[in-house]
Amino acid sequence: MKIIFFILLGIIYLFLANAIDIIIIQELFFLIGLALVGIGIVRYIKERYLAAQAIAALTEASTEEIMAIPHTQYTLSSNALHALLLNEQTNMLIVAQREELDEELTITEVPFSKIYEVAIMEDEVFMLKTKNYLMSGSLLEEDNEELAEEEEDDEKEDTVTKISLKLVVDHLSDPILEYIFMDTDEDPISKEEDEYKEAMELCEKWYQKISVIIKRHELERVPIRHWQ
């Protein structure tokens, strides 16, 4: 508020300087107005710099906290708000996320054997899906069918706002997990843009990793089912 006050007051003085014919007062008002605007601009730049420094410090702290989680592979968002990690030594998939940099980090750990489905999503439309077919039913199947029917009626679009992975896991509090690779806040971007291509490439890479995990544990269960 003080910044706005200084700038507005400075502008008023500059207008007064332009309206007054007395040279001495005109010059005085002009200098006062110029000084007030300058003070407002300097305070604004200072506040922005301090805010940027604070965000940088929080981002670094968030990154360090996430990287301290035991893992062998990971992908971390540019804003350090969420990460997807694999720990091949303990056979765990880990989703770490927070809403804001100053909020507590939420960590969800899922054993590899408890991952049942994974799907690539574009704006809530299923693009690819891998499922453990030794399990009956699907938590994603109904949504997939509904969205597929909707897509038949709509023209194919070449713009996207969101790319994510959806996972069905054996976790009572969060049976469906979502990890977002790109979200442009309802401002669609072209599929020809580098931002889309990079996000989709990374999403496909992790889709392949998780698909391998699902199929690996599907094969491990086959001998057990034969004996039952």
Side-chain angles (χ1 to χ4, degrees):
M1 291 296 294
K2 288 184 178 179
I3 294 172
I4 297 173
F5 171 77
F6 277 116
I7 293 176
L8 288 178
L9 188 59
I11 291 172
I12 290 171
Y13 269 97
L14 290 174
F15 274 118
L16 288 174
N18 188 52
I20 295 174
D21 294 330
I22 303 173
I23 296 176
I24 295 176
I25 298 177
Q26 186 182 56
E27 290 179 351
L28 179 63
F29 278 21
F30 178 78
L31 291 174
I32 293 173
L34 200 62
L36 289 171
V37 171
I39 291 171
I41 292 172
V42 169
R43 289 176 69 97
Y44 173 78
I45 293 173
K46 183 179 178 181
E47 285 192 10
R48 294 292 294 178
Y49 173 77
L50 293 175
Q53 291 290 96
I55 292 173
L58 288 171
T59 301
E60 184 178 355
S62 179
T63 301
E64 290 177 355
E65 184 178 3
I66 289 172
M67 296 306 294
I69 300 171
H71 65 277
T72 54
Q73 298 185 52
Y74 77 97
T75 180
L76 175 67
S77 64
S78 59
N79 56 15
L81 288 177
H82 51 268
L84 187 60
L85 309 97
L86 297 178
N87 189 334
E88 295 164 276
Q89 297 173 348
T90 59
N91 288 333
M92 284 285 183
L93 178 141
I94 305 154
V95 179
Q97 54 190 354
R98 50 168 44 102
E99 292 296 326
E100 300 292 340
L101 287 170
D102 56 353
E103 293 184 3
E104 186 178 353
L105 184 68
T106 301
I107 299 174
T108 304
E109 295 184 309
V110 182
F112 287 173
S113 59
K114 302 297 184 180
I115 304 173
Y116 298 147
E117 291 183 66
V118 60
I120 295 179
M121 308 283 294
E122 280 189 1
D123 293 339
E124 302 306 318
V125 177
F126 287 79
M127 308 304 294
L128 290 171
K129 184 172 77 169
T130 296
K131 173 189 172 185
N132 186 329
Y133 286 101
L134 294 177
M135 302 296 171
S136 60
S138 167
L139 291 180
L140 300 177
E141 207 165 57
E142 292 182 2
D143 292 335
N144 193 11
E145 290 174 356
E146 291 175 4
L147 288 168
E149 291 175 1
E150 291 177 6
E151 284 300 299
E152 288 178 1
D153 299 330
D154 297 334
E155 293 183 2
K156 185 177 179 181
E157 296 184 356
D158 292 327
T159 58
V160 178
T161 59
K162 182 178 175 183
I163 298 173
S164 65
L165 279 184
K166 267 194 177 180
L167 299 98
V168 176
V169 299
D170 188 356
H171 193 282
L172 293 179
S173 60
D174 294 301
I176 298 180
L177 300 176
E178 183 176 28
Y179 186 84
I180 299 171
F181 287 89
M182 185 194 79
D183 190 351
T184 57
D185 295 325
E186 299 182 359
D187 184 17
I189 65 171
S190 169
K191 291 185 179 182
E192 299 300 320
E193 291 191 26
D194 290 340
E195 182 181 356
Y196 168 84
K197 292 179 180 178
E198 290 171 5
M200 179 55 73
E201 182 180 357
L202 186 58
C203 183
E204 288 176 344
K205 180 180 177 180
W206 278 84
Y207 170 80
Q208 291 165 3
K209 290 177 187 289
I210 297 172
S211 295
V212 169
I213 291 171
I214 291 172
K215 291 305 177 182
R216 179 188 300 164
H217 287 277
E218 179 181 84
L219 292 172
E220 288 176 358
R221 289 189 180 94
V222 172
I224 297 175
R225 291 174 64 88
H226 283 175
W227 282 101
Q228 290 176 341

